[in-house]
Amino acid sequence: NKQVILRDYVYGFPKESDMHVGDSKIKLKVPEGSSAVLVKNLYLSCDPYQRTRMKKIEDGGRIVSFTPGSPLTGFGVAKVLDSGHANFKEGDLVWGLTGWEEYSLINSTESLFKIQHTDVPLSYYTGLLGMPGLTAYVGFYEVASPKKGEYVFVSAASGAVGQLVGQFAKLLGCYVVGSAGSKEKVDLLKNKFGFDEAFNYKEEQDLVAALKRYFPEGIDIYFENVGGKTLDAVLLNMRDHGRIAVCGMISQYNLDEFEGIKNLIHIIYKRVLVQGFSVTDYYHLYPKFLEFVLPQIREGKIVYVEDTAEGLENGPAALVGLFSGRNVGKQVIVVAHE
Ligand code: NDP
């Protein structure tokens, strides 16, 4: 059973060599009397939050560290090979929390969901139809309280979450601008995902001026994925009663000490509502989300771009690549083709 194993806790920018590919023996059978589920992993998801789990977390919050010497865990799509649990049977396709390995014995099945719709690519259950898709949906519709015609700005806009936020905003009739880190990504935003405008934040000397250019009347909704300098520039460009849905701050994940934000006082001047959220609080909305999004996919109204790495051995590079923007779209690892 090939596995991606964390060598030790990681500090600073993560490197491929922080992980190695090992081998372990696994019995391809659920132990007698156990309610575990044995799966063959097909697709694994690379998600920025996994970086946080690579460090030693002392405060006992809801995010738990990975264990050095053990395989990483994360979201994935898998096929059930054997099951001691009444809700799952051999041959079922599932998505949810699994191990970064070829086969996983999943003891706790509360984060495992049966896949009911297979007329869409299965890998979508790591992104569009999985945790990042639900994140975009609840972050935009539930947290940001959007209205038709509003001005929306999305950072890390071509990624797993961002590309969907922009498309949801367009479906509602908003004006949407996205920022991303390369020309290729900017082109995707404008030509594939239908953003009204997009810019490469790495080429802008003055982010405040760039945002003024695209939002002369200010921003109603900022969907925050990156934090740091971008957030500071956004605060100077918010409109009265604007909302900031704080989804992530990837620019801060590899820092030992978080950067300060200078322009917080504008939250008062502009009566801005800033709300952080975690998708983990919204899984009850997953059926509603599927009902909304599946028809849009089938009709081609929502599209999705994935970046696939072939083989578990390419998993470490794919995961680390999120932090240099190497991924174009949702980063997926193909472990096996069914
Ligand atoms: P992406 O697919 O967008 O991949 C990460 C992207 O972030 C990279 O491709 C890169 O794009 C950008 N990036 C990396 N480093 C920096 C930096 N220093 N400054 C600016 N941009 C950077 O990831 P996801 O869509 O999966 O996640 C997006 C955000 O959503 C993350 O912050 C994540 O933690 C958060 N999240 C939060 C959830 C929640 O429940 N609150 C759930 C899921 C995700 P580029 O080339 O454009 O720089």
Side-chain angles (χ1 to χ4, degrees):
N1 187 26
K2 227 191 283 170
Q3 303 179 308
V4 176
I5 294 165
L6 182 71
R7 285 185 202 275
D8 202 350
Y9 294 119
V10 176
Y11 298 93
F13 202 94
K15 303 180 294 302
E16 239 183 284
S17 58
D18 292 327
M19 293 155 268
H20 70 98
V21 177
D23 221 335
S24 79
K25 292 250 174 307
I26 183 171
K27 272 211 180 109
L28 293 181
K29 196 101 199 79
V30 169
E32 203 62 44
S34 152
S35 60
V37 174
L38 177 80
V39 299
K40 177 182 181 187
N41 291 309
L42 305 176
Y43 300 101
L44 293 173
S45 173
C46 293
D47 291 293
Y49 83 91
Q50 289 172 299
R51 167 66 189 91
T52 311
R53 299 192 62 191
M54 289 178 162
K55 61 184 170 199
K56 191 164 190 175
I57 302 168
E58 312 265 10
D59 61 11
R62 276 193 274 179
I63 284 212
V64 189
S65 303
F66 291 136
T67 311
S70 294
L72 272 65
T73 58
F75 287 93
V77 172
K79 189 170 198 164
V80 175
L81 297 184
D82 190 18
S83 171
H85 197 290
N87 293 351
F88 301 96
K89 61 174 194 322
E90 189 188 333
D92 280 350
L93 289 164
V94 292
W95 75 271
L97 281 182
T98 186
W100 275 41
E101 53 195 347
E102 288 173 291
Y103 301 94
S104 297
L105 186 66
I106 301 175
N107 287 305
S108 133
T109 50
E110 69 250 38
S111 299
L112 205 60
F113 309 93
K114 223 194 286 205
I115 292 177
Q116 315 279 5
H117 307 275
T118 52
D119 61 321
V120 288
L122 269 187
S123 55
Y124 278 10
Y125 289 89
T126 64
L128 167 52
L129 296 173
M131 184 278 281
L134 184 62
T135 302
Y137 176 77
V138 299
F140 184 64
Y141 289 110
E142 301 286 321
V143 178
S145 310
K147 288 187 278 303
K148 188 176 176 190
E150 285 192 320
Y151 302 147
V152 179
F153 176 53
V154 188
S155 53
S158 70
V161 175
Q163 58 175 301
L164 290 172
V165 175
Q167 292 181 75
F168 292 157
K170 283 315 297 174
L171 283 176
L172 191 68
C174 297
Y175 167 81
V176 193
V177 179
S179 64
S182 72
K183 179 176 183 315
E184 183 186 5
K185 293 182 181 185
V186 167
D187 288 346
L188 267 181
L189 292 175
K190 291 203 277 197
N191 304 327
K192 178 117 187 149
F193 304 132
F195 283 62
D196 294 286
E197 294 288 349
F199 65 91
N200 180 349
Y201 68 93
K202 289 179 182 165
E203 283 182 348
E204 296 291 342
Q205 301 292 332
D206 181 346
L207 277 177
V208 178
L211 288 170
K212 280 226 152 46
R213 199 159 77 225
Y214 293 110
F215 296 98
E217 294 174 55
I219 299 167
D220 291 301
I221 293 174
Y222 172 43
F223 196 100
E224 166 70 301
N225 283 322
V226 304
K229 293 183 187 64
T230 307
L231 175 57
D232 244 334
V234 164
L235 287 169
L236 291 174
N237 279 282
M238 290 301 291
R239 257 182 141 182
D240 280 0
H241 302 289
R243 281 87 63 206
I244 302 183
V246 186
C247 175
M249 294 196 175
I250 194 167
S251 73
Q252 307 297 298
Y253 297 173
N254 300 318
L255 304 179
D256 292 334
E257 220 173 280
F258 298 138
E259 276 175 324
I261 301 293
K262 288 183 297 195
N263 297 320
L264 288 173
I265 200 163
H266 289 262
I267 295 172
I268 310 170
Y269 297 165
K270 298 290 173 64
R271 288 87 170 142
V272 174
L273 181 65
V274 181
Q275 192 183 333
F277 71 98
S278 170
V279 66
T280 51
D281 299 336
Y282 292 92
Y283 275 95
H284 59 285
L285 293 181
Y286 184 69
K288 187 176 160 205
F289 163 60
L290 271 193
E291 213 172 286
F292 163 79
V293 84
L294 278 168
Q296 315 267 10
I297 298 170
R298 292 179 183 132
E299 289 164 29
K301 289 187 183 148
I302 293 277
V303 294
Y304 204 58
V305 170
E306 296 177 325
D307 194 334
T308 46
E310 280 288 334
L312 257 186
E313 51 286 350
N314 291 314
L319 179 56
V320 168
L322 294 179
F323 299 93
S324 57
R326 206 182 84 159
N327 61 309
V328 180
K330 166 68 201 168
Q331 183 66 60
V332 183
I333 303 163
V334 184
V335 185
H337 296 272
E338 270 202 74

